[in-house]
Amino acid sequence: MSNSRHHPAAPTTSRDLAAAASVTAHWHDENQIVYASRGVVAVHTEASRWIAPAHRALWIPAGTVHSHRAYGVTRLHFLGLTQNPLKLCEPTALAVSPLLRELLIAYTELSSRETPAGKRMRAVLLDQLATASEQPVRVPAAHDPRLAAVCSALETDPSDARGLEALGREAGASGRTLTRLFRDELGMTFPQWRTQLRLYHALRLLAEGHSVTTVALRCGFATASAFIDVFRRSLGHTPGSYL
């Protein structure tokens, strides 16, 4: 992201993005919340990728170079913050309650935010943000060439069910070496990383209108019911709620 643009202020605004549209790499001197009230938004940094449907918002700390991509027709809401109510120094996906959702939509679409009503709304919004729990769908990026080769193969085909020994034979590393690299470099076990990858792709496909059964099979789940179970346990909702 060496060609990133610098926009000192993180804007508070809302905008529509067409399906597959993107916002190129940039960074701000202020913190920012990015929320999609419709569709799904993915945020990419040099270290990881995050994806957020309507039950999640993304926290982008000041100074973080990032880009956005929309999956499905997407309505985006941006909230710029000079303060850090969450005390977070890394990008994070946050759970969005029904109240927080309405506050994010209403506040980012206000024509004047300096009225007494606008200031009261902002105060409530900051209170809600301060108590939002972290709910990531995060796919860290690999740097070791052997690990990167394995991750790339699974990115190409999330339904690939091979274990680390079989994947390692193509990448030139043993299963034991890859297990260590997943833990040391990505901070996850291989099954945890693969689940995050599959959920990432699942949210993209759901936003594009694919059926739950189709998404389950394309993302490597044995059955639709197995996919629904993992999805619910990870995100707190069924995949059908995202269609």
Side-chain angles (χ1 to χ4, degrees):
M1 296 189 178
S2 58
N3 296 322
S4 60
R5 295 167 292 125
H6 177 213
H7 300 299
T12 296
T13 187
S14 59
R15 62 181 292 192
D16 293 316
L17 285 182
S22 61
V23 178
T24 57
H26 62 283
W27 58 284
H28 308 289
D29 295 332
E30 300 174 347
N31 304 301
Q32 189 178 52
I33 294 286
V34 180
Y35 174 65
S37 61
R38 180 178 60 183
V40 170
V41 62
V43 172
H44 292 196
T45 70
E46 292 181 343
S48 293
R49 288 168 296 156
W50 287 259
I51 193 162
H55 301 298
R56 301 287 181 270
L58 293 165
W59 166 262
I60 311 295
T64 302
V65 179
H66 61 287
S67 61
H68 311 304
R69 181 180 171 88
Y71 293 98
V73 177
T74 300
R75 177 71 172 171
L76 283 183
H77 303 268
F78 300 96
L79 174 66
L81 296 168
T82 56
Q83 64 270 66
N84 187 344
L86 299 165
K87 311 302 181 187
L88 294 171
C89 299
E90 295 183 350
T92 306
L94 305 169
V96 173
S97 67
L99 175 57
L100 181 54
R101 169 187 166 83
E102 297 307 319
L103 286 166
L104 284 168
I105 294 171
Y107 187 75
T108 58
E109 294 181 350
L110 276 181
S111 57
S112 175
R113 302 182 185 90
E114 297 305 315
T115 63
K119 292 178 180 179
R120 289 194 298 271
M121 186 184 297
R122 180 182 177 86
V124 177
L125 175 53
L126 292 177
D127 284 343
Q128 289 295 305
L129 280 175
T131 60
S133 60
E134 299 179 31
Q135 298 284 344
V137 173
R138 169 178 171 257
V139 184
H143 299 288
D144 182 284
R146 298 162 297 178
L147 184 60
V150 169
C151 293
S152 178
L154 295 175
E155 284 273 8
T156 302
D157 181 11
S159 67
D160 189 335
R162 288 179 294 170
L164 279 183
E165 286 294 344
L167 290 164
R169 283 194 287 272
E170 290 186 5
S174 68
R176 178 177 296 180
T177 296
L178 290 170
T179 296
R180 175 180 57 79
L181 287 170
F182 269 103
R183 182 184 64 248
D184 295 347
E185 188 170 313
L186 304 185
M188 297 179 177
T189 66
F190 171 58
Q192 288 171 335
W193 184 89
R194 177 145 63 182
T195 296
Q196 289 292 295
L197 176 72
R198 288 175 169 176
L199 289 172
Y200 183 96
H201 282 278
L203 285 167
R204 291 172 53 181
L205 293 170
L206 289 168
E208 292 168 357
H210 296 280
S211 71
V212 170
T213 300
T214 297
V215 173
L217 295 177
R218 288 180 61 176
C219 291
F221 294 92
T223 64
S225 60
F227 168 52
I228 292 168
D229 182 59
V230 171
F231 197 99
R232 184 192 296 113
R233 285 189 284 108
S234 299
L235 298 176
H237 300 270
T238 64
S241 67
Y242 291 83
L243 293 174

